[in-house]
Amino acid sequence: MKIAEQRKLGWQKNANEKWEYNFSDCTVTDQGIQYTNTTGAYSLGFETHFLDHVDVEKTDFRHLIAVMEHAPKETYPVFIMNLAALLYPVLQCAHAQGPNLWIYGAPGSGKTELAMNFGTFVNRDKSRAETESIFAANATTKILIRVLQQHQGLNLILDDVKKERVSTQRDKWRKNVDTLLRSVFAFRLTDPFVSKNTGNGNAVNAGAIVTGEIVDVERSTMTRTMFLNIENFIDTSVGSEVIEALQENPEWLVGAMVGIIRFLACQWNTGGVLRYKERFQALAREERPKFRKSSGQRPGNLSAMMLLCHEILHDYAKKIGVYCSLQGAELSCVVANTEDMIASPEDILDTAFHEVVLQLNADEAKYYLYDSCYVNERCLEYGFLMPHNKEAIYIAEIGELPGLETFSSTDELLLVRRDIFLEKMEDEMEKQMEKLHFSNLKLKNNMIQNLHNRGMIKGKKRPDKLFDYCIWYPENSSDDDKCQCLVLNTKHPDVKAKLNLIKIEKEDKKVCVDNLSYWEQSHVNENALFKYSDCRKTIRKAISYQD
């Protein structure tokens, strides 16, 4: 008869300094499973299953992969959370974050069933009422703290979050959800959990899966979480079949996870913690630039964590000789959805600016320089003006232009028609707000000032401490024919990308008059109607604008 006994759960090092993982009823090492005469709240179970079958872990893994391949979009991100929770020694070593996943969808869509059957693998041979891995969102905070700290390398499921109408109940749920996600993310209890801790220290080595409606938590908390939308998953034939398969065969998930734990123990006994740490850091450096600047650090780290788990899973599959067709793209979609969920007004402005700038109908200023027959002065061809059929004009190598030799040759300008640019920005921002369900209707107010504050356009400070942003630029030789322009910041990454495209299209911008045809030379002479004094004056003023 097994007796209840307190054991140090999770990853431990034995007397031989070898990694092993302790459950309440057994220990998993790189050599296999050793069941003990103890029991507890976090038992692996299935002792007979492991002892009576050959290659049981390989067989279970193959069955599990086959099930997930039918619905990878919903099942793979939830399953991979088991692996992410086990990686806490690596993630802590890399100063990374703990894994949080929020499963949401229509009422009755199978959120809890998906979390229970794919997101936790302890006590799977017991009824749901006997497991502590699923926890009601409105339960006692002290019990939540105790259970959270006991989940060493396991996922705690916070179930059935709702938008309560009663304020006291709503505030309690909100506090529990908010503090749970922050604590898992930080690998330690955070306020107000710390104040209600019963003396077990502040360490947290668990993952968290939240199911239910998305409640009004802090935006900073949402940036610490991944969001998975399963829509009406269980109402589909595939969804119901997938859930039913794991309900009838829970040993498939258990056996697969035992094999993965053994694989990790083997890797970590040969320096794998350091190798995985370095791999995570390399992935994070690659992933962060792919996300919006205002939140790129956390989504980039989330993506790196998920991709590291994906690589480990495929390494394990290759080691045991099981083909796995699951793609990292299924995990990347979750992070991309997360980025949309945590979008800020700055993100919408950044995205709109990126799209509008890259689509600008722009041209590089063409200029043919020649010596006048009457005075020692060089004239400019009319193509240097803002073309009527263009939205922007790029002026490069300003230091080489006559009358502007005092400026460095690295100076360059991108002038964009103000009205057209702002109209396109408003249209693109409306698209982004609709896509992200963003209801801030005031977002388009003070757009020029916001563009300047974000370093996208330049301006000139006035004595009253306000800024001038607009500048008049000639469209032809007439003094009155000018267009109002904004000066884009050529140091901004999106503007740099646009300039590179313009330069590729116009590599032959500098044309020597001697190489022109007779008609082209006549064309230059006929249209050299001014000494570009207006252009030069505008360019000199534009250069004085600051970021």
Side-chain angles (χ1 to χ4, degrees):
M1 178 180 178
K2 292 189 176 183
I3 59 173
E5 181 180 311
Q6 289 290 340
R7 308 179 71 217
K8 286 188 176 181
L9 303 178
W11 288 109
Q12 307 291 335
K13 282 191 175 182
N14 61 24
N16 297 321
E17 289 297 307
K18 297 293 184 181
W19 286 95
E20 58 186 24
Y21 190 93
N22 290 339
F23 294 93
S24 295
D25 60 340
C26 66
T27 297
V28 179
T29 69
D30 57 353
Q31 301 299 313
I33 308 176
Q34 299 171 355
Y35 281 90
T36 63
N37 194 33
T38 60
T39 186
Y42 307 99
S43 296
L44 186 67
F46 295 100
E47 183 174 358
T48 304
H49 176 71
F50 285 105
L51 297 179
D52 293 351
H53 296 81
V54 180
D55 289 335
V56 61
E57 297 157 14
K58 179 178 178 179
T59 303
D60 290 339
F61 183 79
R62 182 185 290 112
H63 285 310
L64 178 66
I65 296 299
V67 170
M68 288 196 294
E69 286 172 343
H70 286 88
K73 175 178 174 290
E74 294 83 6
T75 61
Y76 191 29
V78 182
F79 163 75
I80 213 71
M81 283 290 291
N82 293 297
L83 183 47
L86 287 169
L87 292 183
Y88 68 85
V90 174
L91 297 175
Q92 291 176 9
C93 184
H95 304 289
Q97 59 204 35
N100 290 312
L101 179 68
W102 196 314
I103 305 175
Y104 68 101
S109 56
K111 299 180 287 292
T112 301
E113 299 304 322
L114 186 62
M116 283 300 302
N117 287 283
F118 286 90
T120 179
F121 59 97
V122 292
N123 300 320
R124 293 305 306 279
D125 56 352
K126 300 179 181 180
S127 66
R128 180 183 295 183
E130 296 179 278
T131 178
E132 291 197 28
S133 287
I134 183 167
F135 197 86
N138 63 342
T140 307
T141 303
K142 285 186 178 181
I143 299 177
L144 176 57
I145 295 170
R146 174 181 61 80
V147 174
L148 176 62
Q149 290 191 294
Q150 289 175 348
H151 277 69
Q152 297 286 322
L154 303 172
N155 289 318
L156 171 66
I157 300 172
L158 195 67
D159 189 43
D160 200 24
V161 174
K162 297 177 181 178
K163 295 180 179 179
E164 278 287 339
R165 294 182 179 180
V166 181
S167 61
T168 55
Q169 192 76 343
R170 182 174 63 247
D171 292 343
K172 181 177 182 180
W173 286 30
R174 186 177 185 273
K175 182 177 71 173
N176 277 352
V177 173
D178 189 270
T179 314
L180 171 74
L181 295 176
R182 288 176 176 271
S183 296
V184 170
F185 179 88
F187 289 113
R188 60 177 177 80
L189 295 178
T190 57
D191 290 334
F193 279 10
V194 173
S195 61
K196 295 192 176 183
N197 191 12
T198 55
N200 295 321
N202 293 330
V204 173
N205 298 317
I209 299 178
V210 178
T211 70
E213 297 180 90
I214 298 176
V215 296
D216 183 25
V217 295
E218 297 289 342
R219 181 181 179 274
S220 60
T221 301
M222 295 183 72
T223 64
R224 294 166 163 84
T225 311
M226 295 177 288
F227 293 87
L228 174 64
N229 184 5
I230 66 169
E231 298 177 347
N232 292 293
F233 177 63
I234 207 168
D235 292 334
T236 65
S237 57
V238 172
S240 59
E241 290 171 3
V242 163
I243 295 295
E244 185 178 347
L246 265 291
Q247 286 175 335
E248 294 179 355
N249 301 277
E251 69 277 6
W252 291 351
L253 176 62
V254 177
M257 290 310 303
V258 167
I260 290 172
I261 291 173
R262 290 184 58 190
F263 177 74
L264 289 176
C266 181
Q267 296 295 312
W268 294 358
N269 287 333
T270 56
V273 172
L274 181 59
R275 290 197 304 274
Y276 287 151
K277 168 196 169 184
E278 293 173 348
R279 180 55 183 157
F280 169 82
Q281 292 172 333
L283 286 169
R285 287 192 294 270
E286 295 173 8
E287 293 300 306
R288 287 168 192 155
K290 299 178 182 179
F291 298 92
R292 299 186 183 99
K293 292 179 295 182
S294 65
S295 58
Q297 181 82 8
R298 286 175 181 171
N301 287 350
L302 288 172
S303 182
M305 178 182 66
M306 298 293 265
L307 292 177
L308 176 62
C309 293
H310 176 73
E311 291 181 359
I312 293 173
L313 184 76
H314 278 258
D315 288 344
Y316 171 65
K318 183 178 180 180
K319 180 178 182 296
I320 63 175
V322 174
Y323 175 71
C324 179
S325 66
L326 296 172
Q327 301 294 317
E330 306 296 347
L331 307 178
S332 298
C333 286
V334 178
V335 183
N337 181 51
T338 299
E339 186 186 28
D340 290 344
M341 294 289 294
I342 61 178
S344 67
E346 292 79 13
D347 293 327
I348 292 175
L349 185 68
D350 289 349
T351 303
F353 183 78
H354 172 82
E355 295 295 331
V356 171
V357 167
L358 290 185
Q359 295 171 17
L360 280 177
N361 182 10
D363 200 359
E364 185 168 6
K366 304 184 295 290
Y367 56 93
Y368 307 129
L369 297 179
Y370 66 98
D371 292 330
S372 170
C373 298
Y374 303 103
V375 293
N376 188 22
E377 216 171 23
R378 290 181 292 179
C379 299
L380 236 63
E381 191 264 344
Y382 81 106
F384 193 71
L385 301 166
M386 173 71 79
H388 285 283
N389 63 339
K390 297 292 182 179
E391 298 166 349
I393 189 167
Y394 170 55
I395 306 168
E397 298 179 355
I398 292 172
E400 295 184 7
L401 301 182
L404 292 170
E405 289 84 352
T406 56
F407 292 96
S408 168
S409 60
T410 59
D411 288 325
E412 53 187 357
L413 288 175
L414 181 61
L415 302 177
V416 60
R417 293 181 185 270
R418 175 190 179 277
D419 293 341
I420 293 177
F421 182 75
L422 294 182
E423 181 180 353
K424 290 193 171 216
M425 282 292 298
E426 288 189 2
D427 291 344
E428 187 62 39
M429 289 175 73
E430 286 180 359
K431 290 180 184 178
Q432 293 298 321
M433 286 188 284
E434 182 178 354
K435 173 186 174 184
L436 303 175
H437 308 288
F438 206 91
S439 58
N440 189 346
L441 299 179
K442 298 181 180 180
L443 189 56
K444 295 185 290 184
N445 294 352
N446 303 317
M447 186 182 295
I448 293 182
Q449 182 178 344
N450 292 335
L451 289 170
H452 183 244
N453 292 340
R454 299 290 293 168
M456 298 168 176
I457 65 172
K458 293 186 175 184
K460 186 172 184 178
K461 198 168 186 179
R462 305 191 315 226
D464 59 4
K465 297 185 179 180
L466 298 177
F467 282 85
D468 286 329
Y469 300 112
C470 300
I471 199 165
W472 292 95
Y473 193 78
E475 291 184 290
N476 64 35
S477 58
S478 171
D479 290 338
D480 299 327
D481 199 354
K482 298 180 180 181
C483 61
Q484 201 172 28
C485 295
L486 296 174
V487 183
L488 298 190
N489 183 4
T490 54
K491 296 178 182 178
H492 191 280
D494 292 333
V495 180
K496 282 185 177 181
K498 182 62 179 179
L499 296 185
N500 290 333
L501 293 176
I502 297 174
K503 292 173 183 177
I504 291 174
E505 295 173 358
K506 296 292 181 180
E507 289 181 348
D508 59 341
K509 75 170 184 69
K510 298 188 74 172
V511 180
C512 177
V513 175
D514 295 337
N515 296 329
L516 298 178
S517 67
Y518 175 79
W519 181 88
E520 287 173 324
Q521 292 186 45
S522 300
H523 179 70
V524 170
N525 292 323
E526 288 172 2
N527 290 281
L529 301 177
F530 70 107
K531 306 298 188 290
Y532 88 105
S533 59
D534 281 349
C535 285
R536 185 174 62 189
K537 185 188 302 181
T538 304
I539 292 169
R540 188 179 292 277
K541 182 177 180 181
I543 293 173
S544 68
Y545 278 30
Q546 302 297 319
D547 299 353

